[in-house]
Amino acid sequence: MKNLLPDLHEGHAPITLHQLFRDALETYDDWAGGDDVPVVYHQGMPVSIAAVFDRMRDCTDILPNNMVSAITERLTKPWSSDSPLDEMTFSTAARVMGIMVRKRQMRHSNGDIDAFLRRLEKPRNSHIAR
């Protein structure tokens, strides 16, 4: 899938990327599972949510508060910010979400591997029992 996403300009993303990031967060929440990473649409073309998060890894723009809570509720350690300089950037959120996507993919792919190994063990065990 060719990456059709706009580039950052000196660490800043166009508003279309901000909106796409929000759409990717919502799509992640709706992701029922499976190996295939869901997609969002940019200019009518499908783009994986992983590609959206990856594009925003270097974005220095401050994440809006409504998206901050969507990210922080996924963290295992609490996010605390007492200073405006400690506000969460899109870069931080994108890195967190990139890890979350990979973890979810691994969790689902490991289940497939475990099921495959159990199927292989069944014939061996039945052969041994004879």
Side-chain angles (χ1 to χ4, degrees), residues 45-92:
M45 300 297 294
V47 180
S48 80
I49 63 172
V52 173
F53 297 140
D54 188 53
R55 179 54 57 107
M56 297 293 278
R57 286 176 59 93
D58 295 323
C59 180
T60 58
D61 298 334
I62 302 299
L63 196 68
N65 283 335
N66 62 340
M67 284 193 244
V68 170
S69 63
I71 300 295
T72 56
E73 63 190 29
R74 291 177 173 84
L75 299 175
T76 55
K77 291 184 180 181
W79 173 266
S80 63
S81 175
D82 297 330
S83 163
L85 297 176
D86 290 334
E87 291 177 328
M88 187 180 289
T89 62
F90 274 93
S91 174
T92 300

Side-chain angles (χ1 to χ4, degrees), residues 1-62:
M1 192 179 309
K2 186 178 175 186
N3 195 347
L4 304 172
L5 299 175
D7 291 327
L8 301 180
H9 180 69
E10 295 180 8
H12 301 289
I15 191 68
T16 55
L17 269 180
H18 288 200
Q19 293 166 342
L20 204 57
F21 190 91
R22 183 199 61 230
D23 294 346
L25 280 176
E26 291 172 1
T27 301
Y28 178 86
D29 286 338
D30 296 338
W31 186 9
D35 293 337
D36 295 334
V37 175
V39 298
V40 290
Y41 290 87
H42 175 67
Q43 297 179 343
M45 300 297 294
V47 180
S48 80
I49 63 172
V52 173
F53 297 140
D54 188 53
R55 179 54 57 107
M56 297 293 278
R57 286 176 59 93
D58 295 323
C59 180
T60 58
D61 298 334
I62 302 299

Side-chain angles (χ1 to χ4, degrees), residues 109-123:
S109 64
N110 284 346
D112 293 342
I113 291 170
D114 291 340
F116 177 74
L117 290 174
R118 282 194 301 273
R119 275 190 245 139
L120 282 178
E121 289 176 357
K122 259 186 180 176

